[in-house]
Amino acid sequence: MFIRLFFLTLLLLANTAHATLNVLACEPEWAALTRELAGDLARVSSATTARQNPHHIEARPSLIARARNADLLVCTGADLEIGWLPLLTRESGNARIQPGQPGYFEAAAHVRLLEKSGIADRAQGDIHPGGNPHLHADPRNLLSVANALARRLADLDPANAAQYAARNQNFQKRMGAAIARWDQEAAPLRGAPVAVQHRSWSYLADWLGLNVVADLEPKPGIEPSVASLANLLQGLKARPARMILRTPYQSPKPAEWLAERAGIDAVELPYTVGGSARATDLFGLFDDTLAKLKGGLK
Amino acid sequence: MFRPTLLAAALACALPLPALAAGDADLAAEIVKLRTEFDQKFKELQAGYETRLRQLEKTPAVPVAAAPTPTPRASRGNDFNPELGLVLQGSYAQRKPGERAITGFLAGRHDHAGSRGFKLDHSELTLAANIDPTLRGYANIALLDGAAEVEEAWFQTLGLGNGLSVKGGRFLSGIGYANEQHPHAWDFADNSLMYNVLFGEHLAQDGVQVKWLAPTATFLEFGAELGRGGNFPGSDDGGNRNGAGAWSAFAHVGDDVGDAASWRAGLSYLSAKPKNRSSHVEDLGGVEAETLFSGKSNTWLADFVWKWAPDGNPKARNFKFQTEYFRRGENGDLTCSDNTADGGACATGVNDSDVYRVRQSGWYAQGIYQFMPRWRAGLRYDRLNSGGVNFGLLPVAPADYRPSKWSLMADYSPSEFSRFRLQLARDRSMQGSPDDNQVTLQYIHSLGAHGGHKF
């Protein structure tokens, strides 16, 4: 009796899993983008939250279980998830989401990456020789990723191809208009000198024309120490910054320590969807980011 | 004069017939006319582009989907080289001299040196790559002085689907929790007493493993292994057979509790059929004797791991609790090799063989807390129950002892690729000879490609 019930449950679970596309996004921004493009056609979850550093999570049992049932993985790539994603795909026993399969989508393959050094020497810290992976911080990248993702969704679910295309068109229109608005709003930020904690803001700076004058991390991925911060404080006297930017998943202590001594603001930007109360979707994310940046200028 | 001539020549080439028919004066007039026309057209074109450019600058910067251009490059012979990694490990240990054995347990490993002082631990060389679209291969080779031990060398299926995966070759068995960890992934400088008496270091199977992940929202995994059974608690002779000398089965269940915590629990069973399995004991006179065990060895293991980090973000602070319990039953015959030549009490044909039946158990529990970036501290308690071993006719004293050990460690990791560790331990695993003051300093560094560790 119990065994029969067990298999019945499995059968039910398997059936519901095929009613809609099951999408596992590596980060909240890709979960949000997939929701924009697929709406009710996909069941979307994110492997990480805005308060988790996407470089450093583990292939937890719950994630392996979610990967097992996924039809599509939507991730950043460019080695951002190198510490856990390969383990996740291998442990999942899921042929659909293996690298190279249609169910494996990497955003980094569809945009031009910044900071491609090609240098792979760990004396330089925890670097990504293939380019900086924090690419969603420039909303213009979202447009090209959306185009590619909409095509991929249509490939996986051809019956609804027209819907994905229509939703993408709608997204492109709304995001294009929003970018125009943000560009205007951000005019006062152009050329503003800022200090960053990790290279999470390279794309944002590239888009808005922020001038990154200092990085709190002595080397990428290496936590700032008191000595390195003291050095930085000296440097900031010569090249002052207007504010210090950090993500919600980074410890506020180094930024606050420095901000207090340099007499500038430490600004926690939402970084991704869910990173602040206002950043409930991709539009709210940049609305809030710009509001906070402009707040930092005052 | 040169340029109009050139232009005229060009035009003459472009429009040969009418130009040739006209006279010189006509030609000059024609050239002037063409020049003005050309200038005018050019200016119009320029103005058109400039207005369009101005319009574009006003409209929002809707980016062109910049498709990344593949960088063409010469193909090299080593493009398909596997991911290559090397782990460097070494230590300095301060402890009592002499050979040590865990009282009441027939061990597979035999620690002669009682190693102390400066020491290079084995360097682990790892190679991994996809073999083809369906298979992945991995090898881990432990390099020691004058020896290279193949710790693991296996292939694994990538695309069977339906939650199924098959591994074949030599692999670390999926039983228990710590068994799949290589020494560089341990949270302490040495192994737990439990794994010491069960497997020496860990159980490596030469054989096949099948795993199935259930299509449920909760992580639910089942696995089974068939192996040669040549490693402790099996033995070389036990593995020399048609069929499997050892088999095992395991089940894992795990999930998250909110964003901050996650856990995994497991239950495993291992059955081995050792034949002439060698262990070293001291006989009644204190002389070393070799025993040979033939029979059945069955082990149950239960494991539980709990991990916590604020918001599930472990970079700055995190905590890990881990505990495992085992019960092992062995049933068979034990003989001891004649050691009368050394003044021992084992004499062939007199007292060298009897029935050996024992039920033993043990557990450990440990907690590791990373209290700030780069710094961790941990505490472990080990306890074993030798279960009243009776050697029957053999001239070996029965043992009823409960070995235990406390270990306290602190480690510092300048980056995620390097670690330095200090460990203090109070070891009561050998009856009558407590090693109350063990100090170990250790380094673990990783070079090259290093895949993420399992949960």
Side-chain angles (χ1 to χ4, degrees):
Chain A
M1 182 60 211
F2 174 74
I3 291 173
R4 204 180 290 175
L5 203 69
F6 177 72
F7 279 107
L8 200 68
T9 322
L10 287 188
L11 205 69
L12 277 173
L13 280 164
N15 272 338
T16 47
H18 283 115
T20 50
L21 274 185
N22 217 327
V23 181
L24 177 60
C26 284
E27 290 88 22
E29 60 268 22
W30 306 129
L33 185 62
T34 311
R35 283 193 192 101
E36 294 280 356
L37 300 179
D40 294 337
L41 298 174
R43 198 168 40 221
V44 185
S45 73
S46 173
T48 53
T49 71
R51 308 203 74 82
Q52 294 171 349
N53 185 336
H55 297 91
H56 296 282
I57 65 153
E58 277 191 277
R60 307 190 302 275
S62 64
L63 293 186
I64 295 173
R66 278 198 262 165
R68 152 69 165 107
N69 300 318
D71 301 303
L72 173 64
L73 274 183
V74 183
C75 297
T76 301
D79 285 358
L80 178 66
E81 301 100 346
I82 191 79
W84 52 278
L85 187 59
L87 206 58
L88 201 62
T89 53
R90 284 204 293 274
E91 289 291 306
S92 72
N94 181 348
R96 298 185 297 268
I97 57 159
Q98 298 300 320
Q101 296 296 317
Y104 183 87
F105 180 90
E106 281 191 347
H110 306 281
V111 302
R112 190 168 290 146
L113 297 181
L114 298 178
E115 294 162 11
K116 257 189 187 172
S117 66
I119 299 166
D121 178 3
R122 290 205 177 120
Q124 302 306 316
D126 196 358
I127 47 169
H128 304 279
N132 185 322
H134 304 281
L135 56 100
H136 74 281
D138 180 346
R140 296 172 302 181
N141 285 339
L142 296 178
L143 295 176
S144 37
V145 175
N147 279 329
L149 184 55
R151 279 197 300 275
R152 189 64 66 87
L153 287 165
D155 286 349
L156 289 170
D157 182 14
N160 292 312
Q163 287 206 57
Y164 297 118
R167 293 191 71 104
N168 180 37
Q169 239 173 11
N170 178 279
F171 175 75
Q172 299 280 338
K173 217 169 87 189
R174 285 182 297 133
M175 187 48 89
I179 291 173
R181 179 165 55 81
W182 293 323
D183 274 339
Q184 281 182 350
E185 284 176 20
L189 290 164
R190 202 156 285 274
V194 296
V196 297
Q197 185 170 349
H198 191 63
R199 296 181 179 171
S200 316
W201 306 112
S202 301
Y203 290 89
L204 184 76
D206 183 57
W207 169 45
L208 298 177
L210 300 173
N211 181 15
V212 178
V213 295
D215 192 333
L216 269 62
E217 290 181 342
K219 303 266 180 192
I222 307 281
E223 290 281 328
S225 64
V226 175
S228 76
L229 287 177
N231 258 334
L232 206 63
L233 189 60
Q234 286 302 316
L236 282 180
K237 280 182 182 149
R239 295 182 72 191
R242 298 292 295 272
M243 58 189 128
I244 303 168
L245 309 181
R246 72 168 176 85
T247 65
Y249 62 72
Q250 284 163 327
S251 161
K253 281 180 198 158
E256 278 166 8
W257 187 95
L258 193 66
E260 195 183 306
R261 282 159 185 81
I264 52 178
D265 268 359
V267 181
E268 180 188 307
L269 296 179
Y271 180 69
T272 183
V273 176
S276 70
R278 280 183 67 197
T280 50
D281 62 8
L282 290 167
F283 297 90
L285 166 64
F286 291 102
D287 280 337
D288 197 33
T289 300
L290 286 192
K292 287 192 165 138
L293 282 173
K294 285 162 80 181
L297 271 189
K298 279 166 197 156
Chain B
M1 202 54 221
F2 174 72
R3 284 175 74 193
T5 323
L6 200 70
L7 188 64
L11 285 170
C13 288
L15 316 155
L17 286 176
L20 279 177
D24 269 5
D26 286 354
L27 187 64
E30 185 76 12
I31 287 169
V32 173
K33 198 180 140 210
L34 272 172
R35 272 181 78 181
T36 19
E37 251 175 57
F38 176 79
D39 282 351
Q40 179 136 11
K41 279 261 161 67
F42 182 73
K43 270 179 193 147
E44 276 169 22
L45 212 63
Q46 196 179 15
Y49 273 116
E50 272 170 5
T51 16
R52 278 173 66 189
L53 206 64
R54 270 196 297 277
Q55 274 170 353
L56 274 177
E57 273 168 355
K58 268 183 224 150
T59 52
V62 176
V64 187
T69 43
T71 23
R73 57 173 195 149
S75 93
R76 298 172 310 205
N78 58 358
D79 278 356
F80 290 101
N81 276 356
E83 300 152 32
L84 186 65
L86 184 68
V87 179
L88 300 178
Q89 301 175 95
S91 58
Y92 169 81
Q94 211 168 308
R95 54 188 296 181
K96 277 190 180 172
E99 193 177 324
R100 306 192 63 78
I102 298 173
T103 303
F105 288 82
L106 293 179
R109 256 207 197 180
H110 183 54
D111 172 22
H112 268 298
S115 55
R116 54 184 195 153
F118 286 100
K119 187 171 71 141
L120 180 72
D121 295 328
H122 40 209
S123 311
E124 285 176 36
L125 180 68
T126 56
L127 294 147
N130 291 335
I131 297 167
D132 61 20
T134 55
L135 295 173
R136 179 176 172 81
Y138 173 89
N140 181 311
I141 294 155
L143 304 172
L144 309 118
D145 283 327
E149 257 175 40
V150 181
E151 293 249 307
E152 291 189 83
W154 46 256
F155 68 89
Q156 185 184 27
T157 58
L158 291 172
L160 283 187
N162 298 314
L164 268 177
S165 68
V166 176
K167 211 185 242 187
R170 176 174 299 173
F171 52 88
L172 295 182
S173 168
I175 61 171
Y177 172 73
N179 194 63
E180 281 190 301
Q181 292 177 341
H182 284 279
H184 73 262
W186 291 348
D187 290 316
F188 290 86
D190 48 14
N191 209 352
S192 60
L193 293 184
M194 167 175 158
Y195 273 81
N196 247 320
V197 298
L198 281 180
F199 311 122
E201 187 171 282
H202 39 216
L203 177 68
Q205 294 263 41
D206 293 355
V208 287
Q209 178 193 65
V210 180
K211 279 203 293 189
W212 182 67
L213 193 59
T216 48
T218 303
F219 173 81
L220 191 59
E221 181 186 65
F222 302 92
E225 294 162 356
L226 281 177
R228 179 177 176 84
N231 297 327
F232 198 91
S235 73
D236 279 341
D237 284 357
N240 181 15
R241 67 172 74 223
N242 293 321
W247 66 271
S248 55
F250 53 86
H252 298 141
V253 57
D255 210 343
D256 290 346
V257 181
D259 278 341
S262 43
W263 59 275
R264 198 197 87 167
L267 189 65
S268 321
Y269 181 75
L270 167 72
S271 174
K273 290 175 234 166
K275 203 169 155 191
N276 300 326
R277 186 183 75 196
S278 161
S279 299
H280 290 254
V281 296
E282 274 189 2
D283 70 13
L284 289 170
V287 180
E288 188 176 297
E290 185 192 17
T291 63
L292 298 172
F293 172 75
S294 299
K296 276 185 191 162
S297 175
N298 298 326
T299 311
W300 280 99
L301 296 106
D303 58 86
F304 179 73
V305 183
W306 171 273
K307 293 190 187 184
W308 171 90
D311 297 315
N313 188 31
K315 182 92 195 283
R317 281 193 305 142
N318 65 71
F319 176 74
K320 175 183 177 186
F321 174 78
Q322 165 186 339
T323 185
E324 293 188 71
Y325 170 82
F326 83 92
R327 289 188 78 86
R328 178 167 73 186
E330 296 201 313
N331 193 349
D333 293 308
L334 194 69
T335 58
C336 69
S337 312
D338 198 308
N339 65 349
T340 46
D342 300 332
C346 277
T348 309
V350 181
N351 56 358
D352 69 335
S353 183
D354 205 344
V355 171
Y356 176 77
R357 190 173 292 145
V358 70
R359 284 188 157 284
Q360 303 183 307
S361 64
W363 59 276
Y364 73 88
Q366 66 184 52
I368 308 288
Y369 183 47
Q370 180 175 318
F371 50 95
M372 59 185 283
R374 306 184 227 205
W375 289 92
R376 310 191 311 161
L379 184 66
R380 175 176 71 188
Y381 180 66
D382 282 283
R383 186 134 179 110
L384 301 175
N385 183 353
S386 67
V389 197
N390 194 333
F391 293 92
L393 281 177
L394 269 62
V396 179
D400 195 1
Y401 182 63
R402 299 191 168 202
S404 70
K405 185 175 175 182
W406 281 101
S407 312
L408 179 68
M409 80 88 193
D411 62 26
Y412 168 70
S413 309
S415 75
E416 59 180 311
F417 309 105
S418 57
R419 177 165 284 165
F420 297 93
R421 177 180 287 143
L422 169 68
Q423 178 172 314
L424 309 173
R426 173 164 291 199
D427 187 354
R428 302 230 158 126
S429 60
M430 190 173 173
Q431 191 170 19
S433 174
D435 204 347
D436 274 349
N437 204 8
Q438 292 177 4
V439 183
T440 312
L441 273 163
Q442 191 196 17
Y443 68 83
I444 306 164
H445 301 315
S446 158
L447 285 70
H450 193 85
H453 287 141
K454 278 188 165 187
F455 178 78

